[in-house]
């Protein structure tokens, strides 16, 4: 079951974000996130081939092959893309212990500050990247000291040190449960869920997961999200009693996915701004 729909979210505007955008959303019964990973890779490669006659595109000075994908867990991605200037990579134990992760973040901030001071040793471009990373890691560290969960900290760290550098097609999977309230938990690891996001060109193209179909667990997750909202997280999910009631009637094992049509179009056409590919965008009336 699928639909291509128009969305509106009251969020900021950038070259990659627009309040009004288009999505392809679909559900597949008796499928899980592994099935959707395979489908996603094949679908995007097929679309690129049909539109451009090749899976290779040029985007923002990079050659990207939409027919070749890599898959990494979130923890693997953080360790692989960890900036050398930030010191030692987080140990595997850091992803299971908030104090260990917090200590690693604090050390990374100090290392990045020292590296940014070596202006004669680093190119201006890299210096700018390091300053941006340092600010982002500092924000993650500060949030962790104010009570952010370990899962939220890991997710924020991923956004800080990995996401902007995912130029080649990449699937990032096994997200923390705390940031994935609608996703089914992994059977052997309840701290992580069967969820993935897929990236290319340095930004997210879409999100998918095995749907959580247990109404009791879903209600518990919503309650946890309310706690996060109380802590000041505006992105945390609100309680949805109607959705929980619907789950109580029954939902088969299901995989669900949302793909940003506009961002994929950006890649296929080499457009650097989402505004260039949105058809009939809502505009303010021209003033006299």
């Amino acid at each position: 079951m699928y639909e291509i729909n128009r969305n509106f979210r009251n969020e900021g505007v950038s070259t990659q974000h627009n309040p009004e955008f288009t999505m392809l959303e679909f559900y597949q019964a008796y499928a899980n996130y592994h099935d959707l990973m395979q489908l996603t890779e094949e679908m995007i490669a097929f679309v690129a081939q049909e539109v451009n006659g090749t899976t290779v595109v040029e985007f923002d000075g990079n050659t990207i092959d939409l027919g070749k994908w890599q898959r990494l867990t979130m923890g693997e991605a953080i360790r692989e893309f960890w900036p050398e200037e930030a010191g030692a990579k987080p140990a595997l134990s850091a992803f299971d212990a908030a104090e260990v992760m917090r200590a690693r973040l604090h050390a990374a901030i100090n290392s990045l500050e020292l590296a940014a001071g070596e202006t004669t040793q680093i190119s201006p471009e890299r210096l700018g990247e390091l300053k941006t990373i340092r600010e982002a890691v500092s924000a993650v560290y500060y949030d962790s000291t104010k009570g952010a969960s370990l899962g939220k900290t890991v997710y924020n760290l991923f956004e800080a040190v990995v996401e902007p550098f995912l130029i080649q097609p990449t699937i990032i999977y096994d997200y923390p449960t705390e940031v994935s309230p609608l996703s089914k938990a992994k059977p052997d690891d309840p701290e992580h869920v069967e969820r993935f996001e897929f990236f290319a060109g340095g930004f997210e193209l879409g999100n998918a997961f095995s749907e959580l179909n247990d109404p009791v667990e879903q209600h518990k997750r919503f309650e946890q999200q309310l706690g996060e909202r109380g802590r000041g997280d505006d992105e945390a999910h609100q309680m949805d009693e109607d959705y929980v009631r619907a789950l109580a009637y029954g939902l088969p094992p299901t995989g669900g996915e949302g793909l940003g049509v506009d961002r994929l179009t950006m890649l296929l056409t080499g457009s650097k701004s989402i505004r260039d590919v949105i058809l009939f965008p809502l505009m303010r009336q021209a003033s006299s």
Side-chain angles (χ1 to χ4, degrees):
M1 179 179 70
Y2 77 95
E3 67 173 357
I4 298 176
N5 54 59
R6 204 70 158 174
N7 283 260
F8 184 88
R9 294 180 184 172
N10 191 22
E11 298 177 351
V13 176
S14 73
T15 57
Q16 301 172 12
H17 299 83
N18 194 72
E20 178 189 26
F21 58 99
T22 306
M23 285 188 69
L24 163 66
E25 295 186 272
F26 63 88
Y27 297 90
Q28 182 177 347
Y30 302 104
N32 61 25
Y33 77 143
H34 290 296
D35 300 310
L36 296 189
M37 286 184 201
Q38 187 67 30
L39 188 154
T40 299
E41 293 175 356
E42 294 175 356
M43 175 174 61
I44 292 180
F46 174 82
V47 170
Q49 186 69 42
E50 288 293 303
V51 171
N52 290 334
T54 176
T55 60
V56 178
V57 299
E58 297 293 330
F59 182 78
D60 199 18
N62 297 292
T63 300
I64 301 172
D65 190 345
L66 294 173
K68 296 181 179 179
W69 291 78
Q70 65 171 336
R71 301 182 186 183
L72 298 168
T73 67
M74 183 168 286
E76 290 171 345
I78 290 173
R79 286 174 54 81
E80 178 164 327
F81 286 86
W82 186 257
E84 181 180 351
E85 298 88 347
K89 298 178 180 181
L92 293 176
S93 59
F95 296 98
D96 298 318
E99 288 298 327
V100 177
M101 177 59 76
R102 194 173 298 121
R104 180 59 268 177
L105 291 175
H106 188 268
I109 293 168
N110 292 333
S111 296
L112 288 167
E113 288 178 349
L114 289 174
E118 299 291 335
T119 55
T120 60
Q121 306 291 328
I122 303 175
S123 68
E125 181 181 13
R126 183 57 177 167
L127 185 62
E129 288 180 349
L130 290 179
K131 289 182 177 179
T132 300
I133 293 172
R134 183 189 63 194
E135 292 173 0
V137 173
S138 296
V140 174
Y141 173 75
Y142 177 79
D143 199 32
S144 72
T145 65
K146 296 301 179 181
S149 67
L150 176 60
K152 182 68 172 178
T153 298
V154 170
Y155 178 73
N156 289 342
L157 182 60
F158 164 80
E159 290 191 318
V161 304
V162 180
E163 183 170 346
F165 304 101
L166 292 175
I167 306 302
Q168 297 304 319
T170 306
I171 284 176
I172 304 295
Y173 64 99
D174 290 0
Y175 277 52
T177 302
E178 293 97 328
V179 297
S180 313
L182 302 175
S183 308
K184 182 176 291 185
K186 292 173 63 67
D188 58 345
D189 181 11
E191 299 302 316
H192 295 88
V193 296
E194 296 185 348
R195 175 188 174 191
F196 71 91
E197 290 181 314
F198 43 106
F199 303 82
F203 50 75
E204 175 198 342
L205 292 175
N207 176 44
F209 46 83
S210 303
E211 299 282 344
L212 176 57
N213 59 350
D214 180 342
V216 175
E217 176 64 18
Q218 185 63 80
H219 192 275
K220 177 183 175 183
R221 297 273 193 92
F222 281 151
E223 289 182 330
Q224 292 171 340
Q225 289 289 296
L226 290 178
E228 289 298 307
R229 289 187 71 85
R231 197 183 62 81
D233 185 355
D234 294 335
E235 295 183 357
H237 213 289
Q238 299 193 53
M239 177 61 73
D240 190 339
E241 296 286 1
D242 291 335
Y243 183 70
V244 174
R245 187 180 305 111
L247 284 183
Y249 285 104
L251 174 70
T254 301
E257 179 166 325
L259 182 152
V261 174
D262 304 304
R263 286 189 176 180
L264 179 58
T265 304
M266 287 173 63
L267 282 179
L268 295 175
T269 60
S271 302
K272 295 183 180 180
S273 174
I274 195 170
R275 297 281 294 180
D276 295 335
V277 301
I278 293 179
L279 298 175
F280 311 115
L282 182 64
M283 306 285 283
R284 283 198 298 262
Q285 184 174 358
S287 62
S288 57

